[in-house]
Amino acid sequence: MSYTVAIVGRPNVGKSTFFNRLLEQRKAIVDDVSGVTRDRQYGVSEWCGKTFNVIDTGGFVPNTEDIFEKEIRKQVKIAIDEADAIIFMVDVAVGITDLDEAMADLLRRSKKPVYLTVNKVDNGQREFEASEFYSLGFDTIYTVSSLSGTGSGELLDAVTAPMKTEDSVQTDGTEIPKFAIIGQPNVGKSSLLNALIGQERTIVSDISGTTRDTIHTHYNMFQKEFILIDTAGIRKKNKEKEDLEFYSIIRAIKAMDEADVCMLVIDAEKGITAQDVTIFSLATRKGKGIVILVNKWDLFEKETNTARDYEKKLKEKIAPFTDVPILFISAKDKTRIFKAMETTLDVYECKSRRIATSKLNEVMLKAIEGYRAPVVRGHIVKIKYVTQLPTHVPSFAFFTNFPEDIKLPYRNYLENQLRTHFNFKGVPIRIFFRKK
């Protein structure tokens, strides 16, 4: 289920601290100085088996001419429009300010569920003081401490209540594959779709509000059948670059949630951007198959080893997950576009691959015998058995006597062995160590 939660509020109320807690990593910069968060941060969080997207926004300041605050204000409004749920964060230590009231006024006009969250409540006195925020006009308030995590469970229970718990059982393969065409504006996503289906389809509009949903196209030609989820309709009357990039990432994330494999289209002349790397990382964390398509290759000046060198530099940007197909295409000239579809279908097959337990143990135990896990604190780590788990993402459980003593380098070795002996190209692999 595609579900997006936006964290909004005035500057310096602890939004980024709470965002980091949801992601369980220090992704957003946190400082006592207001205005630190200017660029939006995106991540994926999980609560009680439910996975959702999270957007951290900058501090909302109305009626200001400051260039950064004006830009942040626009992005906060976009986040409110795009999110399924909104966490409105305020600061109990400061109390209600005119900025909080302006934010509340904006959110009351939204039809999205709003969860008024009073931050920095870490003792009984502040719990009592938090009651003043009922005057902002919301029926329920949630008290949390972003720093310690106090109260976050009750808030997340409420935020994720409308969601359905994800089904962890592997699909039976009868569903039609879904492929998302994602990437930044003007990289050729529309051209690619039109070239594949052999007709011009109007999927881009300058009228605000007409491109709210992604475009689904049923492809059924040449004995191939799948659903193309296109995100090319990312346009708005305001053509400012920052707004387009913000819209593009939100659209790509939502399309990504529906897809089995993501086709990340980049412009050959511009190369892979920071936004593309962000989307690539999110797709990896969500366990989606990935194919990178370098479009407009016909316009790129080429020499003998241009493609090889280009691919090497591109893989440096997306490391450490580099076992990803990279194709150089031209949607305009229809160069290698059907090869791209064949490759995407191959990645889908890799994502659905099930390895027999007997074969898995035959291959992997031999690889483990050839290179054993390092001795830790005098413990000889022995891996005795391996099996594939029944999940959407290829996942493997290694049963060992000391699961907590196996470190990242050896985990990477096991993943590389799985990729060497079994074809999982373009697909993230999950590895778990369990006590035997």
Side-chain angles (χ1 to χ4, degrees):
M1 178 180 181
S2 177
Y3 198 79
T4 302
V5 178
I7 306 174
V8 303
R10 64 174 178 80
N12 209 29
V13 293
K15 298 185 297 297
S16 294
T17 304
F18 191 67
F19 174 80
N20 288 340
R21 176 161 291 281
L22 291 182
L23 268 60
E24 297 181 335
Q25 57 179 292
R26 290 183 60 83
K27 184 174 180 180
I29 299 172
V30 177
D31 197 280
D32 290 336
V33 178
S34 65
V36 168
T37 303
R38 289 174 177 170
D39 297 319
R40 281 73 51 206
Q41 294 279 358
Y42 315 89
V44 180
S45 183
E46 182 179 349
W47 180 253
C48 295
K50 298 177 180 180
T51 303
F52 54 96
N53 305 310
V54 187
I55 305 174
D56 178 30
T57 63
F60 181 83
V61 180
N63 307 319
T64 177
E65 294 303 314
D66 180 89
I67 185 171
F68 292 113
E69 291 177 344
K70 286 174 66 178
E71 182 60 32
I72 290 170
R73 190 164 63 243
K74 287 191 295 182
Q75 304 308 324
V76 170
K77 291 178 179 178
I78 291 172
I80 291 171
D81 289 340
E82 295 298 314
D84 298 291
I86 300 159
I87 294 176
F88 171 26
M89 188 159 283
V90 293
D91 184 351
V92 70
V94 176
I96 298 176
T97 69
D98 55 347
L99 299 181
D100 294 324
E101 291 175 345
M103 184 85 255
D105 183 58
L106 179 66
L107 293 175
R108 279 195 298 267
R109 286 181 266 139
S110 171
K111 295 181 180 179
K112 307 292 176 67
V114 178
Y115 301 87
L116 176 57
T117 303
V118 186
N119 191 24
K120 305 180 185 179
V121 179
D122 48 17
N123 57 51
Q125 178 62 28
R126 288 191 167 183
E127 186 81 36
F128 174 77
E129 293 170 355
S131 60
E132 74 165 300
F133 288 92
Y134 278 110
S135 65
L136 290 176
F138 297 93
D139 294 334
T140 307
I141 65 172
Y142 299 87
T143 57
V144 303
S145 170
S146 295
L147 205 57
S148 67
T150 303
S152 58
E154 183 181 354
L155 170 62
L156 292 175
D157 283 342
V159 170
T160 59
M163 300 176 61
K164 296 179 180 178
T165 304
E166 292 184 347
D167 184 8
S168 61
V169 179
Q170 180 77 15
T171 59
D172 59 9
T174 59
E175 294 183 2
I176 298 176
K178 293 182 179 179
F179 305 147
I181 304 174
I182 59 178
Q184 296 304 302
N186 302 318
V187 295
K189 299 186 298 297
S190 298
S191 301
L192 176 60
L193 176 70
N194 291 336
L196 286 169
I197 65 176
Q199 58 179 288
E200 294 294 322
R201 180 172 179 183
T202 305
I203 55 176
V204 178
S205 172
D206 287 334
I207 301 174
S208 178
T210 61
T211 57
R212 292 257 168 225
D213 297 320
T214 51
I215 308 300
H216 292 63
T217 303
H218 188 181
Y219 182 100
N220 191 6
M221 294 184 284
F222 310 113
Q223 290 78 51
K224 303 288 191 299
E225 184 177 13
F226 46 83
I227 301 294
L228 283 171
I229 306 172
D230 181 39
T231 59
I234 305 165
R235 294 295 185 273
K236 198 169 182 279
K237 283 185 177 180
N238 185 347
K239 287 294 196 300
E240 291 184 26
K241 181 173 179 286
E242 286 291 320
D243 287 351
L244 285 178
E245 289 179 348
F246 189 39
Y247 269 115
S248 69
I249 292 178
I250 293 176
R251 292 285 191 269
I253 290 171
K254 290 192 172 185
M256 195 187 302
D257 284 325
E258 295 186 61
D260 299 298
V261 181
C262 297
M263 304 163 65
L264 177 58
V265 183
I266 67 173
D267 187 320
E269 294 182 309
K270 294 179 181 177
I272 190 165
T273 67
Q275 285 79 12
D276 291 323
V277 173
T278 296
I279 295 172
F280 179 89
S281 300
L282 286 171
T284 301
R285 186 169 179 184
K286 289 172 180 287
K288 306 298 179 179
I290 306 172
V291 177
I292 297 178
L293 304 178
V294 183
N295 192 28
K296 306 181 184 178
W297 192 242
D298 54 314
L299 304 178
F300 196 81
E301 288 190 22
K302 293 176 279 292
E303 297 178 358
T304 306
N305 297 318
T306 301
R308 184 196 66 186
D309 296 340
Y310 195 104
E311 181 173 338
K312 181 181 177 182
K313 290 181 181 178
L314 200 155
K315 286 189 173 182
E316 289 174 357
K317 292 282 187 72
I318 63 174
F321 179 31
T322 57
D323 188 19
V324 177
I326 299 173
L327 284 85
F328 299 89
I329 69 168
S330 169
K332 179 182 176 183
D333 296 340
K334 298 188 177 181
T335 305
R336 286 186 286 276
I337 61 169
F338 294 106
K339 173 64 174 174
M341 294 317 306
E342 294 279 358
T343 302
T344 305
L345 284 164
D346 288 344
V347 171
Y348 175 75
E349 291 297 324
C350 292
K351 188 171 183 290
S352 307
R353 177 163 289 120
R354 297 285 303 168
I355 310 298
T357 302
S358 58
K359 181 66 175 176
L360 195 57
N361 280 274
E362 178 187 341
V363 171
M364 293 306 296
L365 291 182
K366 183 182 291 186
I368 292 166
E369 187 69 27
Y371 175 46
R372 292 184 175 276
V375 175
V376 179
R377 298 194 304 273
H379 297 154
I380 298 176
V381 179
K382 296 181 180 180
I383 296 176
K384 303 175 182 179
Y385 181 74
V386 56
T387 185
Q388 185 172 359
L389 302 175
T391 57
H392 286 293
V393 185
S395 303
F396 299 88
F398 289 79
F399 291 86
T400 174
N401 52 344
F402 294 106
E404 68 280 358
D405 287 339
I406 299 179
K407 307 303 180 185
L408 183 61
Y410 198 72
R411 179 191 292 267
N412 292 340
Y413 167 75
L414 294 175
E415 178 176 337
N416 290 336
Q417 290 299 309
L418 285 167
R419 293 189 181 280
T420 299
H421 295 285
F422 309 103
N423 184 10
F424 287 108
K425 194 171 184 66
V427 182
I429 291 177
R430 305 282 187 261
I431 291 178
F432 303 93
F433 298 105
R434 294 180 176 174
K435 182 74 173 177
K436 177 67 173 177

